[in-house]
Amino acid sequence: SSDLPSTHRPTDAMETSVEQTSPELRIVDLRESERELLSSVYETLLQVHFPVDGELDDLEDMQSGLDKGGDGREPELHILVALHRRPDSGHQDLAGCLCYEYYPRGNHCLMSYICVAAAFRRLGLARRLMVDMESQLLQRTGGKPLAAILAETHAADVQDGIMDPGKRQDVLASLGFRCLSFSYTQPPLSDHHEPCGGLRLLVKDKDCVAADVVVNYLDDFAGSVMGFEEEAWKSEAYYKDQIAEVRSQPMVKAVLERPW
């Protein structure tokens, strides 16, 4: 549940579909099958593309997250992995992955990580992963539209040494995301992490969202980490400041114009 440097190009470089160029590619959800791939996905894709300390969930938390859910409150973690089978040898390459969490209480989704291996960029793989995610979500909700599909990215002035933040923002914009206009601080990823600044909260395919949707997301995220019963996060300064800003108007605007 952290920053989201996709390594794809913007729209004009992503026109060719993976289905056309790579018939040997398939996408699996590690929540449902082939969970033995998780360690390799973590080491060769996620750690490579998300090296900044504190921005990537621990492997152990991801392992447990794949089993959580079903109580109507805990987020349901899905890790979609694109696998490319080499016709000559049958070897499977890890081409890319997308991690998302569905929060049933607020009926929203956080797309937390998306990355594509260098050899498989500019093939439309990021879009295919997104399509699979949205198809799964509609199945999960029985066709009911989600309140929001959210994502996070670094602010324009934050450098991680992996991808220029401006290019990353262009990629996310090409995938349909806009930046919500408030000072976002990410709740802690675990009880041994601190709240994380320098991020922007994005929403897909909307030019505004109700303030309640943002508040529900902040509460669901924090509650999934710190426990829903005590709601201890609501006394934290970072939370109070955000809620005051978000609640200052009924709708939170989402802007396409960059930098974010």
Side-chain angles (χ1 to χ4, degrees):
S1 308
S2 189
D3 188 33
L4 197 152
S6 170
T7 50
H8 254 36
R9 297 280 196 161
T11 305
D12 59 353
M14 299 169 61
E15 295 298 329
T16 308
S17 73
V18 173
E19 290 89 341
Q20 292 173 328
T21 61
S22 186
E24 301 296 331
L25 189 138
R26 65 190 178 95
I27 294 176
V28 299
D29 183 355
L30 300 192
R31 187 177 182 88
E32 307 296 336
S33 64
E34 301 189 47
R35 198 172 299 186
E36 67 275 6
L37 294 173
L38 179 57
S39 293
S40 295
V41 169
Y42 194 85
E43 293 172 7
T44 64
L45 288 174
L46 291 170
Q47 284 186 321
V48 169
H49 294 97
F50 302 91
V52 176
D53 185 47
E55 74 174 351
L56 181 62
D57 289 308
D58 296 334
L59 175 59
E60 294 74 16
D61 290 336
M62 286 191 166
Q63 288 172 328
S64 63
L66 290 170
D67 291 319
K68 288 182 178 179
D71 67 350
R73 295 190 303 183
E74 289 285 350
E76 301 164 10
L77 173 64
H78 295 258
I79 302 177
L80 306 183
V81 180
L83 298 166
H84 179 265
R85 181 179 177 274
R86 299 183 191 179
D88 54 348
S89 66
H91 176 79
Q92 286 194 133
D93 295 304
L94 298 174
C97 73
L98 182 156
C99 305
Y100 75 89
E101 292 164 304
Y102 173 67
Y103 292 82
R105 189 170 73 162
N107 189 34
H108 47 249
C109 160
L110 176 68
M111 186 179 76
S112 45
Y113 309 103
I114 184 171
C115 55
V116 175
F120 298 94
R121 294 173 194 165
R122 303 185 69 179
L123 296 174
L125 183 51
R127 290 191 184 281
R128 178 167 171 185
L129 287 164
M130 294 276 296
V131 167
D132 274 44
M133 176 190 74
E134 293 188 66
S135 176
Q136 283 191 343
L137 287 165
L138 279 177
Q139 289 181 355
R140 174 63 179 83
T141 65
K144 178 183 177 181
L146 270 70
I149 295 176
L150 302 163
E152 298 167 325
T153 190
H154 285 147
D157 59 352
V158 175
Q159 297 285 342
D160 66 1
I162 296 297
M163 187 176 185
D164 176 80
K167 290 183 178 179
R168 180 184 296 117
Q169 292 183 2
D170 289 342
V171 168
L172 290 164
S174 78
L175 294 173
F177 286 97
R178 295 173 178 240
C179 183
L180 290 167
S181 298
F182 75 102
S183 300
Y184 176 59
T185 300
Q186 182 197 68
L189 293 178
S190 72
D191 56 11
H192 57 271
H193 287 83
E194 295 294 326
C196 185
L199 299 174
R200 298 290 182 262
L201 186 64
L202 316 178
V203 66
K204 187 175 188 293
D205 299 332
K206 295 180 182 291
D207 55 15
C208 64
V209 297
D212 284 345
V213 171
V214 177
V215 174
N216 288 342
Y217 162 72
L218 292 171
D219 286 343
D220 280 350
F221 189 130
S224 70
V225 173
M226 304 177 71
F228 288 97
E229 286 73 19
E230 297 182 4
E231 298 188 338
W233 68 89
K234 292 187 177 182
S235 63
E236 299 286 341
Y238 84 88
Y239 176 86
K240 291 181 176 179
D241 290 344
Q242 287 185 98
I243 296 302
E245 184 178 359
V246 168
R247 290 285 195 201
S248 66
Q249 49 192 353
M251 304 295 291
V252 181
K253 186 178 179 181
V255 298
L256 181 60
E257 183 179 356
R258 294 172 298 284
W260 294 333

